[in-house]
Each structure stands twice: as structure tokens, then as C-alpha cells.
Amino acid sequence: MFSRIQFKRAIFFRPIIANSNHIYNKGLRRPFSTSLKLQLANTTVNFSEQQPQHDTSQEPKTHFGFKSVPEGMKETLVGQVFENVATNYDVMNDAMSLGVHRLWKDHSVRTMAPGPGTKLLDVAGGTGDIAMGFLNYCKEIHGDTSAQVTLLDINPKMLEVGRQRFAKTPYHNTSQVTFEIGNAENLLSIPSNSYDVYTIAFGIRNCTHIDRVLREAFRVLKPGGRFMCLEFGKVRNPLISSIYNLYSFQVIPIIGQVIAADRDSYQYLVESIRQFPSQEQFAEMIKKAGFTIVGEGWEDLTFGIAALHSGFKL
Ligand SMILES: C[S@@+](CC[C@H](N)C(=O)[O-])C[C@H]1O[C@@H](n2cnc3c(N)ncnc32)[C@H](O)[C@@H]1O
């Protein structure tokens, strides 16, 4: 296992890992993009032009990127984003992060270090990076084919891309992977105390009520179970922070424009990252939901651009 410094060096300086043997990379080729545009028939509509269908002026507000929207609208807006981008998710994700997201996810699975027979619930699992990395790890490290993952996402299209990806693997049509449509804020189909590990990677910041997501995570985990959240964080080093801000706001939208002809999606992405709580604030929220955290409760990855949070249901 890497020490923190070794890990930071490794993931910051390592070039794109097209031929890497990392567990996470096997079976992976998917993109990320978040389009703010709705394709309605042949018409493209900017979210900023959307008008609510009813009087929402009295509703509590939340953020959607840097925009303030009625709480009831966010889920729909986020849903439309991911519906739009599902088929392009891989390419854009790699382009935007220069492949580094793979290292973060690989590190998350290695930190989880699941034992044989582990039952994982991967919420907001999208096209299945964490789920795939988890099953590959169990197979390669333990020769285990009894580990199981439920890949849950609110968006049928993202889940369908994941399903197609798994269809090309030995996990296809086995009890090792199941797909469920569901909302992280209300895991209706998931019984209490039923999973060993709960993961949510780059998903929680898209949810309207983070506290509800955390409460549900606590409920569905078995006593002794582990909550793990990979999410963007705050960069503390002022020099790195300036470079990161410049890259985020000046370069990423251009990448979106050039590769996906969609600047707005990338603008939304960088804005949504800035709206997410700091590592300290999020660790407090995890504790408030009932989890016990070890140490400070998170590990910064690549100078805090991302952070891996963890808590136990004891
Ligand atoms: C940035 S993608 C992350 C996907 C995957 N976990 C990964 O790391 O590549 C965010 C995912 O969160 C899902 N999502 C957003 N809000 C959700 C909610 N309330 N419940 C479940 N999934 C949600 C989206 O549909 C999307 O698939």
C-alpha cells in the first residue's frame, strides 16, 4: 500500500495509464461529461432558459452549479444532465482528468481491501467503475467469485451503459452483479443492515440532500460495515489551488467544447465541485449521520482535488 506521499507522487506524475495493469482499468473505457443542455427532439434548450411549470418561489432553494434553483428541480436537472452524457461518459472523464480518476478509483478499491464474499452496494454507480474494480480485486487477490455488488443509480441510461459494459465480462449473468434503479436519498428497495460496504463515487455532490444520502447509507450497512465516498475536495496549497482553478475554469470548458461540443457541461462540472463542502465539513456530516471515523476521516488525493472519505457503522 502507498504511503500518502508516495501515493500523491504516483498519481500526480503518472501519465495516462492506457496500458496499466491496475485493477480498475480492466474492462474500462468510459467518459464523463455533464451537459447543461437538454436535447428535446431536435431542439437544444439551455437550462438557464428553462421556466418552472409551477410557482416555486416559496420552495427552499439549492444550488445547481452556481445557479440557485428550487430544491424540487435539482433532481430533474441532474437527471437530464446524466441522461444526456451517458454514452460519452468515459472519453470525457479521461480527457478531463488526464486519466487520473482511474487511479483514484483504483486506490479506493485497494483501500477498501474487500475480503472474500464481501457484499457491496455501489450507489450512484453510473457505468460501473467502482463495481468493476471491486469484482476484479476480489477475483485477482482472493480468487473469490462469491463477492457481490449491487450497482444502483437513479439514471436508467447510465445504468444501461454499465450493464452493456458488464455484458462483455465473466460477471455477466452471474449473481455477482445486479443493477438497480434507485435514489440515493431513499433506498426503498434496500433492506436495513444488509451490506458490508457502501460506496458512492463522484455521486453525492449531485444529490439534493446530502444528509439524507448519509442517513440511508447508515441504515443499509450491516453493523461493522464501511461507508466510503470518493468526491472532489478543496485544494489547500495556494499555488496548486491557483493552477487548479485556472485549469478548471479556463481549460476544462474548452476541452468540453473541443471534444464534446459542449462547453456548458464542463462549466457545470467545475461549478458543482466548488459547491461541495470542504473535507472537514463533509467529515462532520458523516459523523452526524452516525458513522465512526478513524483519524480525520479522509485521505486527500492529488493535493485534495479529490478526497476519499470513510466511516464505520459500529
Ligand atoms: C459523476 S457520475 C459518477 C458515476 C460513477 N460513480 C463514477 O465514479 O464514474 C454521478 C452519477 O450519480 C448519479 N446520481 C445523481 N443523483 C443521484 C441520486 N439522487 N441517486 C442515485 N444516483 C444519482 C447520476 O445518475 C450519475 O450516474
Side-chain angles (χ1 to χ4, degrees):
M1 191 62 66
F2 288 131
S3 73
R4 179 177 293 195
I5 291 172
Q6 284 171 324
F7 176 65
K8 282 177 178 169
R9 279 192 191 136
I11 63 180
F12 194 72
F13 292 113
R14 191 169 172 171
I16 295 180
I17 43 179
N19 297 318
S20 162
N21 264 338
H22 273 237
I23 284 178
Y24 164 70
N25 290 329
K26 295 182 178 157
L28 284 190
R29 283 294 175 268
R30 317 158 290 83
F32 183 84
S33 159
T34 46
S35 173
L36 284 181
K37 292 171 186 170
L38 297 177
Q39 300 294 335
L40 296 175
N42 292 324
T43 313
T44 298
V45 179
N46 282 319
F47 284 168
S48 54
E49 293 163 7
Q50 278 205 316
Q51 295 302 320
Q53 298 300 304
H54 59 279
D55 178 16
T56 53
S57 57
Q58 302 308 311
E59 267 188 61
K61 298 283 192 289
T62 188
H63 49 79
F64 178 72
F66 287 165
K67 293 186 183 71
S68 176
V69 298
E71 276 192 357
M73 272 184 78
K74 179 163 174 172
E75 198 174 293
T76 308
L77 294 174
V78 168
Q80 288 161 340
V81 164
F82 286 104
E83 173 135 359
N84 244 17
V85 306
T87 49
N88 284 322
Y89 187 81
D90 280 337
V91 169
M92 301 309 294
N93 219 3
D94 281 342
M96 192 175 49
S97 74
L98 305 177
V100 172
H101 76 107
R102 293 167 180 256
L103 298 172
W104 294 336
K105 290 168 179 169
D106 184 53
H107 179 70
S108 301
V109 172
R110 289 176 187 278
T111 302
M112 181 197 306
T118 297
K119 259 186 92 179
L120 168 69
L121 178 62
D122 184 32
V123 173
T127 56
D129 285 357
I130 295 288
M132 186 79 78
F134 164 77
L135 291 179
N136 287 342
Y137 179 98
C138 292
K139 193 170 166 192
E140 290 173 21
I141 302 296
H142 304 298
D144 175 32
T145 53
S146 65
Q148 293 183 331
V149 58
T150 302
L151 180 49
L152 182 141
D153 200 283
I154 202 168
N155 192 305
K157 211 163 163 189
M158 290 290 282
L159 219 46
E160 183 51 33
V161 176
R163 199 192 299 272
Q164 285 168 14
R165 195 166 140 217
F166 271 91
K168 297 176 197 142
T169 72
Y171 309 119
H172 182 51
N173 274 344
T174 73
S175 59
Q176 285 203 273
V177 60
T178 50
F179 302 88
E180 277 199 38
I181 294 171
N183 188 338
E185 295 188 22
N186 195 353
L187 298 169
L188 291 169
S189 61
I190 311 291
S192 301
N193 306 314
S194 55
Y195 281 87
D196 302 302
V197 186
Y198 172 113
T199 49
I200 183 162
F202 304 112
I204 202 163
R205 76 173 190 286
N206 295 296
C207 297
T208 311
H209 304 101
I210 295 175
D211 53 340
R212 290 185 198 166
V213 175
L214 294 172
R215 277 205 301 273
E216 279 293 81
F218 192 83
R219 180 183 68 77
V220 300
L221 278 168
K222 293 177 186 170
R226 186 173 194 181
F227 166 82
M228 299 185 81
C229 176
L230 182 60
E231 191 48 90
F232 291 104
K234 307 282 182 229
V235 177
R236 268 167 278 275
N237 180 303
L239 178 64
I240 304 291
S241 177
S242 315
I243 297 167
Y244 176 50
N245 279 334
L246 197 70
Y247 180 74
S248 298
F249 287 98
Q250 305 302 326
V251 180
I252 287 182
I254 292 172
I255 296 176
Q257 183 64 45
V258 171
I259 298 182
D262 189 353
R263 190 185 181 106
D264 289 349
S265 300
Y266 290 89
Q267 190 66 32
Y268 164 74
L269 173 73
V270 294
E271 290 177 5
S272 72
I273 291 170
R274 296 315 186 278
Q275 298 286 22
F276 193 69
S278 68
Q279 286 87 321
E280 290 82 358
Q281 289 165 333
F282 187 47
E284 281 307 311
M285 295 175 83
I286 292 169
K287 274 199 271 185
K288 203 169 162 201
F291 291 104
T292 301
I293 62 174
V294 177
E296 56 187 5
W298 79 88
E299 179 184 14
D300 278 346
L301 308 177
T302 318
F303 305 104
I305 290 174
L308 179 60
H309 289 263
S310 172
F312 293 88
K313 177 175 173 177
L314 297 180

